Amino acid sequence: MKTCIANYMATIKSQITEVSIDDLKVAITNGELVFDVREPQEHAQGLVLGALAIPRGVLEFNLFNLPMLKDLNEDEALDKPIYLYCASGGRSACTAHSLQQIGFKNVYSVAGGIKAWTDSGGQLIKP
């Protein structure tokens, strides 16, 4: 990875909260919002059970229209815990940072992404 990108990612990750696969498992058990921010061709390979597939490029613009948020007032929506994962943790970190900039207060990026999930024995479901 180029130094400039590594520095950028270090800055982003210093401003967000990363969580572990175990934290993600608890969030799923508790019914929290979990988003897979990979691209559609990656979603076709499988998702974590309970995750909603929505690419990073459109998440911010579609988030308030999703069924689980659209009927909430803005403050309620901004308080909802949101867990994000991608392939390895980079895109989810950037997405977490973006959502925090919008005003979301409880946003978490899953360290290691879906790779860490499958490496830990986590199963995927086909969409």
Side-chain angles (χ1 to χ4, degrees), residues 32 69 72-82 103-108:
E32 303 294 359
L69 293 177
L72 301 177
N73 70 45
E74 188 170 313
D75 288 334
E76 291 171 327
L78 294 173
D79 282 337
K80 289 289 272 183
I82 297 176
F104 284 88
K105 298 173 186 79
N106 301 299
V107 183
Y108 309 98

Side-chain angles (χ1 to χ4, degrees), residues 19-20 23-28 30 32-37 51-52 59 80-85 92 99 106-110:
V19 296
S20 70
D23 295 322
L24 177 60
K25 289 176 182 176
V26 170
I28 292 167
N30 291 339
E32 303 294 359
L33 298 178
V34 178
F35 297 110
D36 182 323
V37 298
L52 179 64
L59 179 65
K80 289 289 272 183
I82 297 176
Y83 291 78
L84 307 162
Y85 72 85
S92 60
L99 293 182
N106 301 299
V107 183
Y108 309 98
S109 174
V110 178

